[in-house]
């Protein structure tokens, strides 16, 4: 029996050790490959699209290396997990860096939290940094994870979804934002599961066990 | 439910080994950074910060390997500070698996470095460390070289400037309080926390768990950093979080 392959898409935007380490830890029998090679990505059983930093730089590298086409192809056929800017890149457009067109798998915009963010009269700092709760919407990737579990977030821009049924997890930070999006075999999260201790590892394990059926 | 306040244990490392007396009961080798990071991770630490005190640039390579080893096994955010002077230093640490780097003296000597770093890598991974000392009533100044060298820079104004330059977070250490165990300097912590719109980590002076509570409730810190109270098993991170939660602070338990 050949082992399953999980491809973590490397498009040159930094640190993938954590994502690799976390996936490998939850699935020792899976071959976790950090790669930018479209052929390897197409051959994988599961695909992860990570992302850190500014959307302009991420999208520039994604387009430059043709990763957008690869992602669109993958999204039709196998389980795909977007993480952080990897989620934002799947939206129509982000208002970061003066406005950047994204891959457009999900309708909706990526918006700035704003400099005057408040909740219950209390000022909220931006970036939204640290451990916050996620209100889950029924989905196989939440299996075994308590509702309202905390995950590690670090972002100044948030996903404003157009289709409410695609929001699979709600975050609250001055606004109700999409902490998780899902459609068919695609799932994407704003937080960092690879940095979210046990809850994050559980989600990654669920992803690698997922056949893409919502 | 809301965003939780964070507890961050801080470790000094030299040539890839944890130094300066980390002394957990039951740990095989008190200097093994992976083992110590795992221990704090198991105790529920929200992040871990490493302060690299390696003297020579060449030997710092071992710290890079240390970060790689930890990032493969410990799944909470890691920050590395100490000796971050160039964009290449940042790239190296992030590539090794650090989530954030903390810039201290290099920011004082060349504030534009913070701007360049934030532009290149994103504000989310740029922490600016500020070492402040009280020099008068409601007046704190930045010091460098471990608190020995005054700069004449007003600490609050500096924090505001660093936020404008793209810092994603401020790590504020009170040099008057460091190692004294009488609690954070709540005055400067509150002044800076009120003045900037980015998260502030309070550091320096923690001697008991009430100090952590005061840092958040009185001074408005978003996170608290401590070293010695955790290293010698005086308190576990879990005990500290429970204490803070009992005081009405939102924590990840």
């Amino acid at each position: 029996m050949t082992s399953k392959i999980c491809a973590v898409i490397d498009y040159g935007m930094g640190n993938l050790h954590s994502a690799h380490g976390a996936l490998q830890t939850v699935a020792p029998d899976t071959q976790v490959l950090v790669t930018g090679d479209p052929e390897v990505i197409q051959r994988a059983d599961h695909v992860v699209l990570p992302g850190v930093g500014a959307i302009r730089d991420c999208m520039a590298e994604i387009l430059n290396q043709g990763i957008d086409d690869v992602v669109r192809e993958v999204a039709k056929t196998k389980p795909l997990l977007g993480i952080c800017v990897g989620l934002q890149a799947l939206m129509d457009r982000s208002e970061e860096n003066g406005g950047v067109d994204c891959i457009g798998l999900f309708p909706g915009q990526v918006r700035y939290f704003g400099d005057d963010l408040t909740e219950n009269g209390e000022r909220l700092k931006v970036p939204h940094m640290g451990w916050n709760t996620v209100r889950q919407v029924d989905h196989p990737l939440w299996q075994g994870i308590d509702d309202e579990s905390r995950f590690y977030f670090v972002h100044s821009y948030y996903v404003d979804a157009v289709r409410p049924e695609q929001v699979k997890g709600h975050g609250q930070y001055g606004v109700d934002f999409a902490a998780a999006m899902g459609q068919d075999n695609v799932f994407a999260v704003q937080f960092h599961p690879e940095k979210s201790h046990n809850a994050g590892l559980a989600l990654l394990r669920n992803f690698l066990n997922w056949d893409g059926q919502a | 439910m809301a965003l939780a306040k964070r507890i961050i244990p801080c470790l000094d490392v030299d040539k890839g080994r944890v130094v300066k007396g980390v002394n957990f009961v039951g740990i095989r080798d008190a200097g093994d950074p992976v083992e110590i990071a795992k221990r704090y991770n198991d105790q529920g630490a929200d992040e871990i910060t490493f302060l690299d005190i390696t003297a020579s640039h060449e030997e710092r390579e071992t710290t890079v390997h240390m970060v790689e080893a930890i990032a493969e096994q410990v799944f909470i955010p890691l920050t590395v500070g100490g000796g971050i002077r160039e964009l290449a230093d940042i790239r190296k640490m992030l590539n090794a698996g650090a989530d954030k780097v903390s810039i201290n003296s290099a920011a004082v000597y060349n504030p534009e470095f913070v701007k360049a770093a934030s532009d290149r890598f994103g504000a989310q991974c740029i922490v600016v460390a500020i070492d402040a000392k009280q020099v008068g009533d409601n007046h704190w100044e930045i010091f460098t070289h471990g608190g020995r060298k005054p700069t004449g820079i007003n600490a609050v104004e500096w924090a505001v400037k660093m936020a404008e330059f793209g810092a994603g977070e401020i790590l504020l250490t009170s040099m008057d309080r460091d190692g004294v165990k009488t609690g954070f300097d709540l005055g400067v912590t509150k002044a800076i926390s009120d003045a900037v719109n980015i998260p502030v980590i309070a550091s320096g002076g923690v001697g008991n768990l009430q100090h952590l509570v005061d840092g958040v409730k009185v001074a408005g810190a978003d996170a608290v950093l401590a070293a010695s109270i955790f290293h010698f098993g005086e308190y576990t991170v879990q005990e500290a979080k429970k204490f803070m939660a009992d005081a009405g602070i939102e924590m990840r338990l």
Side-chain angles (χ1 to χ4, degrees):
Chain A
M1 191 183 100
T2 52
S3 64
K4 280 193 177 174
I5 296 173
C6 172
V8 180
I9 303 182
D10 181 5
Y11 51 96
M13 287 302 291
N15 164 27
L16 300 174
H17 283 277
S18 308
H20 175 269
L23 289 158
Q24 197 66 81
T25 297
V26 298
D29 297 333
T30 297
Q31 266 192 73
V32 182
L33 304 172
V34 174
T35 176
D37 182 346
E39 254 179 58
V40 177
I41 297 167
Q42 298 283 15
R43 226 176 49 228
D45 301 282
H46 291 81
V47 176
V48 176
L49 179 68
V52 290
I55 191 76
R56 175 194 52 207
D57 298 342
C58 281
M59 277 312 300
E61 287 306 316
I62 284 172
L63 296 176
N64 192 24
Q65 299 178 35
I67 298 295
D68 54 327
D69 290 334
V70 178
V71 166
R72 279 190 201 98
E73 198 54 42
V74 164
K76 288 180 201 154
T77 52
K78 60 187 81 176
L80 169 68
L81 177 67
I83 296 175
C84 194
V85 179
L87 157 66
Q88 299 185 357
L90 297 179
M91 306 304 295
D92 279 333
R93 187 174 166 80
S94 171
E95 58 180 41
E96 190 179 3
N97 305 125
V100 175
D101 286 328
C102 300
I103 297 173
L105 226 50
F106 293 118
Q109 301 278 317
V110 183
R111 301 188 194 282
Y112 185 48
F113 273 121
D115 294 320
D116 307 302
L117 197 66
T118 59
E119 196 158 273
N120 304 325
E122 199 182 319
R123 183 180 58 136
L124 298 179
K125 308 259 180 116
V126 177
H128 174 222
M129 184 185 287
W131 300 78
N132 210 338
T133 54
V134 175
R135 186 160 51 86
Q136 301 171 3
V137 175
D138 191 38
H139 192 281
L141 262 64
W142 298 121
Q143 199 192 339
I145 304 171
D146 289 341
D147 193 18
E148 304 273 354
S149 287
R150 289 183 186 276
F151 293 88
Y152 187 82
F153 290 86
V154 51
H155 60 125
S156 301
Y157 293 79
Y158 68 92
V159 166
D160 184 7
V162 167
R163 292 170 56 188
E165 71 275 15
Q166 290 183 329
V167 179
K168 301 300 178 192
H170 295 269
Q172 179 67 38
Y173 195 64
V175 293
D176 177 339
F177 67 92
M181 297 284 288
Q183 176 73 53
D184 303 325
N185 49 304
V186 181
F187 197 83
V189 292
Q190 179 62 64
F191 52 82
H192 286 272
E194 78 283 14
K195 289 288 166 183
S196 296
H197 201 214
N198 293 339
L201 294 179
L203 186 129
L204 293 177
R205 190 178 297 115
N206 288 342
F207 172 66
L208 291 178
N209 288 329
W210 186 38
D211 59 5
Q213 301 297 308
Chain B
M1 298 295 244
L3 182 64
K5 303 296 178 185
R6 290 167 279 152
I7 290 190
I8 308 173
C10 178
L11 300 159
D12 285 357
V13 300
D14 185 13
K15 302 183 204 68
R17 303 282 295 168
V18 173
V19 293
K20 224 167 79 173
V22 173
N23 197 4
F24 283 130
V25 179
I27 219 162
R28 281 193 302 278
D29 169 0
D32 179 2
V34 177
E35 206 167 339
I36 292 168
K38 273 186 174 168
R39 179 66 62 97
Y40 282 132
N41 178 50
D42 292 344
Q43 289 183 4
D46 295 308
E47 298 184 18
I48 302 177
T49 289
F50 297 92
L51 186 61
D52 188 1
I53 58 169
T54 308
S56 89
H57 204 72
E58 293 71 41
E59 287 173 324
R60 205 160 286 134
E61 210 53 42
T62 52
T63 307
V64 174
H65 298 310
M66 176 201 84
V67 173
E68 277 171 7
I70 294 171
E72 287 273 347
Q73 296 182 54
V74 177
F75 305 112
I76 56 174
L78 308 174
T79 302
V80 182
I84 303 290
R85 297 191 182 88
E86 302 167 19
L87 293 179
D89 298 328
I90 301 177
R91 180 176 298 114
K92 206 176 271 181
M93 284 305 171
L94 296 181
N95 281 345
D99 299 281
K100 313 179 205 179
V101 294
S102 162
I103 305 173
N104 194 339
S105 323
V108 177
Y109 299 134
N110 176 19
E112 293 292 328
F113 174 52
V114 172
K115 213 180 249 179
S118 182
D119 271 355
R120 178 65 190 86
F121 303 105
Q124 83 290 336
C125 66
I126 305 299
V127 182
V128 170
I130 296 179
D131 293 344
K133 248 187 198 178
Q134 185 155 20
V135 292
D137 275 354
N138 287 315
H139 188 209
W140 297 269
E141 221 177 77
I142 306 283
F143 280 67
T144 58
H145 297 81
R148 294 190 304 276
K149 216 170 148 187
T151 62
I153 302 170
N154 178 300
V156 180
E157 289 168 12
W158 179 248
V160 171
K161 179 171 171 175
M162 287 298 97
E164 277 167 10
F165 275 35
E169 199 173 28
I170 299 282
L171 167 55
L172 172 66
T173 303
S174 161
M175 301 309 287
D176 307 301
R177 302 301 180 96
D178 211 22
V180 184
K181 299 203 151 211
T182 53
F184 298 121
D185 183 332
L186 300 173
V188 69
T189 306
K190 177 152 180 43
I192 289 181
S193 190
D194 285 347
V196 299
N197 199 38
I198 54 177
V200 174
I201 306 165
S203 156
V206 177
N208 62 48
L209 301 182
Q210 185 58 41
H211 292 153
L212 302 177
V213 170
D214 293 342
V216 172
K217 288 193 105 168
V218 180
D222 301 281
V224 288
L225 180 139
S228 54
I229 62 161
F230 298 131
H231 295 340
F232 299 103
E234 248 174 280
Y235 304 102
T236 65
V237 176
Q238 194 58 38
E239 283 166 351
K241 293 178 96 170
K242 173 91 172 47
F243 188 90
M244 292 173 78
D246 288 345
I249 298 172
E250 193 83 34
M251 302 296 295
R252 175 179 71 105
L253 293 175

